[in-house]
């Protein structure tokens, strides 16, 4: 248990009790910015793209895919040990909206096909 407690990365990250060099901080801020690779828009796009691919493009499976995404979010929250940061909540909400748009024909699989 002592080893496990000493090496609990989630507790360490949750604490916020660490420092990083300025270049690492700047890169992390750019990565989670609105247009960053790990930002809400691009991450939710990737989640929707994966859900579309896993469903075979069948919009009738949209609710099942969204349920799986929600389950993953809930498991991540449990692993984190408390509410996830706002960027995670915002990404989940954006994903739900994009999944609804796809399910209801407002967008198509092609809208998510050119993701990196």
């Amino acid at each position: 248990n002592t080893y496990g407690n000493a090496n609990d990365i989630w507790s360490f990250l949750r604490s916020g009790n660490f420092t990083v060099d300025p270049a690492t901080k700047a890169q992390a801020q750019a990565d989670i910015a609105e247009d960053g690779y790990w930002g809400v828009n691009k991450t939710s796009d990737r989640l929707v793209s994966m859900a579309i691919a896993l469903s075979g493009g069948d919009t009738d499976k949209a609710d099942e895919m969204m349920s799986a995404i929600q389950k993953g979010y809930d498991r991540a929250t449990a692993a984190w040990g408390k509410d996830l940061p706002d960027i995670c909540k915002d990404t989940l909400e954006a994903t739900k909206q994009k999944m609804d748009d796809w399910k209801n024909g407002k967008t198509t699989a092609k809208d998510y096909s050119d993701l990196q």
Side-chain angles (χ1 to χ4, degrees), residues 59-96:
T59 56
D60 289 339
K61 295 182 181 178
D63 291 335
E64 182 181 356
M65 293 292 105
M66 194 56 235
S67 177
I69 292 168
Q70 181 67 55
K71 185 177 180 179
Y73 180 87
D74 293 343
R75 286 187 175 180
T77 301
W80 187 247
K82 63 179 185 176
D83 286 344
L84 292 172
D86 287 343
I87 191 171
C88 301
K89 296 173 193 172
D90 295 345
T91 300
L92 179 64
E93 290 307 312
T95 302
K96 287 179 181 180

XYZ file of all heavy atoms in Angstrom, residues 59-96:
290
model
N -26.645 6.085 -37.567
C -27.132 7.065 -36.589
C -28.074 6.436 -35.562
O -28.274 7.003 -34.488
C -27.836 8.242 -37.276
O -28.897 7.746 -38.098
C -26.861 9.048 -38.124
N -28.646 5.287 -35.870
C -29.494 4.600 -34.887
C -28.691 4.132 -33.672
O -29.273 3.816 -32.638
C -30.194 3.393 -35.521
C -31.281 3.793 -36.508
O -31.777 4.938 -36.434
O -31.628 2.950 -37.362
N -27.384 4.090 -33.803
C -26.514 3.672 -32.697
C -25.926 4.866 -31.939
O -25.107 4.690 -31.042
C -25.396 2.772 -33.218
C -25.928 1.458 -33.770
C -24.810 0.566 -34.228
C -25.399 -0.735 -34.786
N -24.356 -1.613 -35.295
N -26.360 6.071 -32.282
C -25.814 7.277 -31.659
C -26.015 7.274 -30.145
O -25.093 7.625 -29.388
C -26.419 8.531 -32.279
N -27.191 6.894 -29.688
C -27.450 6.890 -28.247
C -26.570 5.868 -27.529
O -26.063 6.134 -26.435
C -28.926 6.605 -27.965
C -29.830 7.759 -28.388
O -29.358 8.908 -28.444
O -31.017 7.496 -28.654
N -26.374 4.717 -28.152
C -25.500 3.701 -27.576
C -24.061 4.214 -27.487
O -23.373 3.997 -26.480
C -25.557 2.439 -28.432
C -24.733 1.302 -27.924
C -24.804 0.067 -28.812
O -25.562 0.056 -29.808
O -24.085 -0.894 -28.504
N -23.614 4.901 -28.508
C -22.258 5.453 -28.515
C -22.125 6.541 -27.447
O -21.125 6.596 -26.726
C -21.909 6.029 -29.893
C -21.788 5.000 -30.999
S -20.357 3.916 -30.788
C -21.172 2.422 -30.241
N -23.150 7.395 -27.321
C -23.088 8.454 -26.326
C -23.110 7.865 -24.923
O -22.426 8.356 -24.026
C -24.243 9.434 -26.527
C -24.072 10.733 -25.772
S -22.530 11.594 -26.152
C -21.844 11.783 -24.520
N -23.849 6.794 -24.744
C -23.867 6.111 -23.455
C -22.476 5.587 -23.104
O -22.029 5.687 -21.955
C -24.877 4.968 -23.485
O -24.861 4.265 -22.276
N -21.774 5.057 -24.088
C -20.415 4.558 -23.863
C -19.465 5.708 -23.516
O -18.599 5.565 -22.639
C -19.924 3.808 -25.092
N -19.628 6.840 -24.184
C -18.793 8.011 -23.881
C -19.066 8.482 -22.459
O -18.134 8.782 -21.700
C -19.021 9.128 -24.924
C -18.472 8.690 -26.288
C -18.382 10.435 -24.463
C -18.900 9.575 -27.449
N -20.331 8.534 -22.073
C -20.696 8.946 -20.716
C -20.113 7.976 -19.688
O -19.600 8.383 -18.649
C -22.214 9.021 -20.563
C -22.666 9.467 -19.181
C -22.309 10.903 -18.868
O -22.660 11.804 -19.621
N -21.613 11.130 -17.762
N -20.169 6.690 -19.987
C -19.612 5.671 -19.083
C -18.111 5.893 -18.901
O -17.587 5.811 -17.786
C -19.881 4.283 -19.649
C -19.459 3.158 -18.753
C -19.838 1.810 -19.364
C -19.441 0.649 -18.501
N -19.834 -0.652 -19.102
N -17.402 6.192 -19.985
C -15.978 6.476 -19.893
C -15.701 7.711 -19.052
O -14.769 7.736 -18.236
N -16.521 8.745 -19.243
C -16.379 9.968 -18.447
C -16.592 9.664 -16.961
O -15.813 10.118 -16.112
C -17.381 11.015 -18.934
C -17.313 12.322 -18.179
C -16.435 13.318 -18.580
C -18.121 12.559 -17.072
C -16.365 14.513 -17.889
C -18.053 13.745 -16.376
C -17.173 14.727 -16.788
O -17.098 15.908 -16.107
N -17.622 8.881 -16.672
C -17.911 8.530 -15.280
C -16.768 7.727 -14.659
O -16.399 7.944 -13.501
C -19.221 7.758 -15.183
C -20.431 8.604 -15.552
O -20.327 9.852 -15.576
O -21.499 8.001 -15.836
N -16.192 6.818 -15.429
C -15.058 6.032 -14.916
C -13.828 6.916 -14.707
O -13.077 6.729 -13.744
C -14.742 4.882 -15.863
C -15.760 3.772 -15.764
C -15.350 2.582 -16.571
N -16.282 1.488 -16.367
C -16.166 0.319 -16.942
N -15.164 0.067 -17.750
N -17.051 -0.620 -16.705
N -13.623 7.861 -15.603
C -12.496 8.784 -15.431
C -12.693 9.634 -14.179
O -11.740 9.881 -13.434
C -12.350 9.668 -16.666
N -13.920 10.066 -13.937
C -14.213 10.845 -12.732
C -13.914 10.018 -11.488
O -13.299 10.513 -10.536
C -15.685 11.301 -12.725
O -15.929 12.093 -13.894
C -16.004 12.122 -11.491
N -14.318 8.755 -11.501
C -14.051 7.880 -10.357
C -12.547 7.694 -10.153
O -12.056 7.731 -9.019
C -14.737 6.532 -10.545
N -11.818 7.512 -11.238
C -10.363 7.332 -11.130
C -9.691 8.606 -10.621
O -8.717 8.538 -9.860
C -9.777 6.931 -12.482
N -10.207 9.751 -11.033
C -9.646 11.039 -10.617
C -9.905 11.265 -9.131
O -9.121 11.891 -8.442
C -10.252 12.147 -11.469
C -9.673 13.498 -11.291
C -10.306 14.578 -10.750
C -8.379 13.966 -11.664
N -9.485 15.671 -10.767
C -8.294 15.324 -11.321
C -7.282 13.354 -12.250
C -7.154 16.089 -11.547
C -6.135 14.118 -12.481
C -6.087 15.463 -12.133
N -11.049 10.788 -8.638
C -11.349 10.881 -7.222
C -12.200 12.067 -6.821
O -12.548 12.219 -5.663
N -12.533 12.897 -7.743
C -13.429 14.033 -7.513
C -13.848 14.550 -8.884
O -13.482 13.970 -9.904
C -12.754 15.123 -6.677
C -11.544 15.777 -7.321
C -10.976 16.855 -6.416
C -9.843 17.600 -7.086
N -9.357 18.701 -6.260
N -14.622 15.636 -8.908
C -15.064 16.165 -10.197
C -13.864 16.453 -11.096
O -12.832 16.955 -10.630
C -15.860 17.461 -10.014
C -17.258 17.234 -9.474
O -17.741 16.079 -9.513
O -17.872 18.209 -9.006
N -14.028 16.133 -12.361
C -12.976 16.420 -13.333
C -12.894 17.927 -13.590
O -13.862 18.654 -13.356
C -13.263 15.681 -14.639
C -13.161 14.158 -14.563
C -13.665 13.525 -15.857
C -11.742 13.721 -14.279
N -11.772 18.389 -14.110
C -11.637 19.807 -14.441
C -12.695 20.254 -15.457
O -13.237 19.448 -16.221
C -10.227 19.895 -15.050
C -9.506 18.710 -14.489
C -10.540 17.637 -14.347
N -12.987 21.537 -15.459
C -14.020 22.090 -16.339
C -13.807 21.747 -17.803
O -14.781 21.534 -18.533
C -14.107 23.611 -16.181
C -14.744 24.020 -14.862
O -15.397 23.172 -14.212
O -14.585 25.193 -14.473
N -12.565 21.686 -18.267
C -12.322 21.368 -19.674
C -12.904 19.998 -20.029
O -13.400 19.790 -21.133
C -10.821 21.467 -20.046
C -10.652 21.391 -21.566
C -10.004 20.409 -19.325
C -9.242 21.698 -22.055
N -12.883 19.083 -19.080
C -13.454 17.746 -19.311
C -14.969 17.821 -19.410
O -15.584 17.205 -20.289
C -13.040 16.791 -18.202
S -11.259 16.591 -18.048
N -15.577 18.561 -18.501
C -17.032 18.737 -18.524
C -17.457 19.418 -19.819
O -18.439 19.027 -20.456
C -17.482 19.554 -17.317
C -17.232 18.880 -15.997
C -17.535 19.820 -14.849
C -16.998 19.270 -13.552
N -17.101 20.204 -12.454
N -16.726 20.449 -20.206
C -17.046 21.177 -21.435
C -16.901 20.286 -22.658
O -17.701 20.363 -23.600
C -16.153 22.411 -21.576
C -16.401 23.449 -20.484
O -17.437 23.366 -19.787
O -15.535 24.333 -20.319
N -15.892 19.422 -22.649
C -15.690 18.489 -23.764
C -16.833 17.493 -23.841
O -17.330 17.194 -24.935
C -14.339 17.765 -23.619
O -13.292 18.738 -23.613
C -14.112 16.772 -24.747
N -17.282 16.993 -22.705
C -18.409 16.064 -22.693
C -19.664 16.743 -23.255
O -20.370 16.155 -24.076
C -18.662 15.540 -21.286
C -19.827 14.566 -21.146
C -19.555 13.284 -21.940
C -20.089 14.250 -19.683
N -19.928 17.953 -22.827
C -21.115 18.668 -23.315
C -21.025 18.935 -24.822
O -22.013 18.787 -25.545
C -21.322 19.964 -22.543
C -21.759 19.748 -21.109
C -22.991 18.847 -20.981
O -23.985 19.086 -21.707
O -22.959 17.905 -20.170
N -19.859 19.327 -25.294
C -19.672 19.560 -26.735
C -19.853 18.257 -27.510
O -20.455 18.248 -28.597
C -18.290 20.154 -26.996
N -19.361 17.168 -26.957
C -19.505 15.859 -27.601
C -20.974 15.472 -27.686
O -21.442 15.010 -28.739
C -18.717 14.786 -26.832
O -17.340 15.177 -26.783
C -18.832 13.422 -27.496
N -21.713 15.671 -26.606
C -23.147 15.364 -26.612
C -23.861 16.160 -27.704
O -24.698 15.618 -28.428
C -23.766 15.675 -25.250
C -23.392 14.696 -24.164
C -24.032 15.107 -22.842
C -23.664 14.166 -21.721
N -24.275 14.573 -20.438
